[in-house]
Amino acid sequence: MKKIILSAMAVMAFGFANAQEVKYGVKGGLNLSSLSGDTDGMDLKSKFGFHAGGFVEIKFSEKFAIQPELLYSTQGTRFDDMEVEGYKTKTCFNFDYINVPVMFKYFAVEKFFIEAGPQIGFLTSAKARVKVDQLNIDNKEDIKENFESIDFGLNFGAGYEFTENIFASARYNLGLANIAKTEAGDDSKVHNGVFSVSVGYKF
């Protein structure tokens, strides 16, 4: 992971040194996230969230650009209708991350681009919300100690520039790191997965 991050930083430095154009911007949008891996047969469902933050687009040719970003992102998963002592429960895992993607953009045709790149995420909050409607129970619990503080993944996406300033994009984050904290002898693995749709403005 360190090698990939250092390589990304080196490429950004090269991009700044050779940039033809540098633009700053803001972006935000919706997330559709879930978890995958060793989930004990739970029927996990996607949950909606959002992301918002800023970016720098370093364009060093007509076709290629690098775009480091800093985003606040709400993620997680939910699972309904689990039975506990005869009662049906509804559970939602709510994660808050500060994500730092570094995207490599290729403008395939005018205004349309594809992008890919690594992402590191820092977990700032993790809470579980459990509801039992039959008992009028709605509890929240801090579960951050059960998850790793750092996530790592790869992003793939595409977008379209409507004007010189306004654009929209769609992206999928494939989580590669195991975010579940495990004890000795437990090789369980859990990964984030997030599909996001964004709109942004470049200054």
Side-chain angles (χ1 to χ4, degrees), residues 123-127 142-149 181:
L123 181 66
T124 62
S125 174
K127 298 184 184 298
D142 192 320
I143 56 173
K144 188 178 178 182
E145 64 180 12
N146 298 313
F147 294 91
E148 297 289 350
S149 59
K181 284 186 177 178

Side-chain angles (χ1 to χ4, degrees), residues 20-81:
Q20 293 184 359
E21 185 178 26
V22 177
K23 290 187 176 181
Y24 299 85
V26 292
K27 62 181 293 187
L30 293 177
N31 292 340
L32 189 61
S33 63
S34 190
L35 301 178
S36 62
D38 302 318
T39 55
D40 297 327
M42 292 185 295
D43 184 18
L44 299 183
K45 295 179 171 61
S46 299
K47 69 178 290 290
F48 284 102
F50 70 93
H51 62 276
F55 63 89
V56 182
E57 184 189 70
I58 308 161
K59 200 166 185 180
F60 50 93
S61 76
E62 290 185 2
K63 292 289 188 180
F64 294 96
I66 304 170
Q67 185 167 297
E69 303 176 358
L70 181 66
L71 303 173
Y72 171 74
S73 179
T74 63
Q75 302 168 199
T77 191
R78 64 184 180 88
F79 42 101
D80 301 336
D81 299 329

Side-chain angles (χ1 to χ4, degrees), residues 81-152:
D81 299 329
M82 284 190 64
E83 286 202 9
V84 178
E85 297 182 359
Y87 296 100
K88 288 186 176 181
T89 66
K90 297 179 180 179
T91 303
C92 187
F93 285 177
N94 298 305
F95 301 150
D96 294 340
Y97 277 94
I98 300 296
N99 289 328
V100 185
V102 179
M103 305 304 294
F104 299 85
K105 301 173 67 175
Y106 173 67
F107 291 82
V109 295
E110 186 179 4
K111 297 185 178 183
F112 176 79
F113 62 87
I114 56 177
E115 60 179 3
Q119 172 178 292
I120 186 169
F122 302 93
L123 181 66
T124 62
S125 174
K127 298 184 184 298
R129 183 178 184 181
V130 181
K131 297 178 67 175
V132 185
D133 293 335
Q134 296 157 290
L135 300 177
N136 199 30
I137 292 174
D138 188 349
N139 290 336
K140 294 181 180 179
E141 183 178 352
D142 192 320
I143 56 173
K144 188 178 178 182
E145 64 180 12
N146 298 313
F147 294 91
E148 297 289 350
S149 59
I150 295 179
D151 184 28
F152 182 75

Side-chain angles (χ1 to χ4, degrees), residues 161-193:
E161 297 181 338
F162 297 98
T163 70
E164 289 186 1
N165 304 104
I166 300 171
F167 69 91
S169 63
R171 180 183 298 175
Y172 183 74
N173 171 246
L174 175 66
L176 300 178
N178 181 18
I179 64 169
K181 284 186 177 178
T182 56
E183 299 177 354
D186 184 358
D187 60 354
S188 299
K189 292 180 174 59
V190 177
H191 306 280
N192 278 310

